[in-house]
Amino acid sequence: MASVILFPAIDLKEGQCVRLVEGEMSSATVFNDDPTAQAQAFERQGFEYLHVVDLDGAFAGAPMNALAVEGILANIKIPVQLGGGIREMRTISRWLDKGISRVIIGTAAVRDPTLVREAARLYPGRIAVGIDAKDGFVAVEGWARRTHVSAQDLGRSFEDAGVAAIVYTDISRDGVLKGLNIEATLALAEALSIPVIASGGLASLADIERLLQPDCKKLAGAITGRALYDGRLDPAEALALIRQSRQASTNEG
């Protein structure tokens, strides 16, 4: 259980921190117009790793919120994983050189799997694949296009690629506070040897408690967004639960 990480999310749209409902850009709610201040707040609260998404970049196919991301990197010390519009090797290299700890490749994992393999070879431990699915099938280009590729098939295709993690998002749960889709996330984790991070729908402390149950031990962690911004999830309580679980695991070991 020591590897379980709770990732607070900063989703960037036009330089602001927003949250969407099921990936619809028209549903954006602005929660903070200062992404750097938001990142610093998450760091002060005790989070160990930050999850950032360039939403505009995901639709455009190239970075669109670079200044906001660079501002975050310059002002916090915890590691940052970044997704959204990362579809070329030069983009991957540029972000890793700037201090991003891990990049998340989503659309390009479907369109250009060779890119994922080459990046994982060049940057071991620093490449993740984002699998965003609805009804079990992958969506790309900011979730605007559905494919006929299943989440499990896409994950399996990278089993031998050296990918550091899979970030699995249930689109139908994202931003609607219905709770994590543990069943689908565990099914993916059981099918793969790659660590899986759950995303989409985390709503309350009950989701953290569920994440820490023995059957979820294969999961590497979860991403939380709207529940934090809405105040439905208390950071101190959530992180305390995770620390307690780690301590118990250490004592048992």
Side-chain angles (χ1 to χ4, degrees):
M1 299 303 298
S3 63
V4 172
I5 297 171
L6 185 62
F7 299 81
I10 291 180
D11 288 358
L12 297 168
K13 182 177 185 287
E14 298 174 359
Q16 298 175 311
C17 301
V18 306
R19 296 303 297 169
L20 307 184
V21 175
E22 297 184 26
E24 292 292 336
M25 289 291 264
S26 61
S27 72
T29 300
V30 178
F31 282 101
N32 197 327
D33 60 7
D34 188 340
T36 294
Q38 185 62 65
Q40 290 173 318
F42 285 145
E43 184 175 50
R44 286 195 302 272
Q45 288 165 354
F47 288 101
E48 301 169 320
Y49 213 126
L50 183 64
H51 176 80
V52 178
V53 178
D54 180 349
L55 293 173
D56 300 303
F59 283 90
M64 299 295 288
N65 284 280
L67 288 178
V69 176
E70 289 166 6
I72 290 170
L73 289 172
N75 287 280
I76 65 172
K77 295 180 180 178
I78 59 174
V80 178
Q81 64 179 20
L82 174 69
I86 300 173
R87 300 179 193 172
E88 297 181 349
M89 186 63 76
R90 63 183 178 183
T91 306
I92 294 168
S93 300
R94 185 164 64 243
W95 279 128
L96 294 178
D97 288 345
K98 284 181 178 291
I100 290 294
S101 295
R102 183 161 66 194
V103 297
I104 304 166
I105 302 173
T107 295
V110 177
R111 305 282 194 233
D112 186 11
T114 301
L115 174 68
V116 175
R117 294 178 173 278
E118 181 65 6
R121 184 185 69 80
L122 290 173
Y123 303 104
R126 303 184 72 185
I127 306 299
V129 168
I131 297 182
D132 307 322
K134 193 166 187 176
D135 301 324
F137 290 93
V138 176
V140 297
E141 297 175 20
W143 303 350
R145 295 184 181 276
R146 297 274 295 277
T147 73
H148 298 292
V149 179
S150 77
Q152 290 198 21
D153 284 348
L154 182 59
R156 286 193 188 100
S157 72
F158 294 114
E159 274 284 77
D160 62 346
V163 170
I166 298 286
V167 179
Y168 175 73
T169 303
D170 183 332
I171 295 170
S172 66
R173 304 257 181 146
D174 193 67
V176 297
L177 300 167
K178 290 182 179 178
L180 292 168
N181 188 341
I182 291 293
E183 182 180 359
T185 308
L186 281 179
L188 182 62
E190 292 293 339
L192 304 175
S193 62
I194 306 167
V196 174
I197 298 165
S199 176
L202 196 152
S204 69
L205 203 62
D207 282 301
I208 306 300
E209 293 169 342
R210 181 69 185 88
L211 183 69
L212 296 173
Q213 293 302 305
D215 64 332
C216 289
K217 64 184 179 180
K218 287 201 70 171
L219 300 184
I223 294 165
T224 176
R226 186 174 288 271
L228 279 179
Y229 292 100
D230 278 354
R232 296 169 190 255
L233 181 66
D234 182 280
E237 289 184 329
L239 293 172
L241 268 182
I242 292 171
R243 284 194 298 270
Q244 289 167 13
S245 177
R246 288 178 179 173
Q247 188 59 50
S249 179
T250 300
N251 292 341
E252 288 173 4

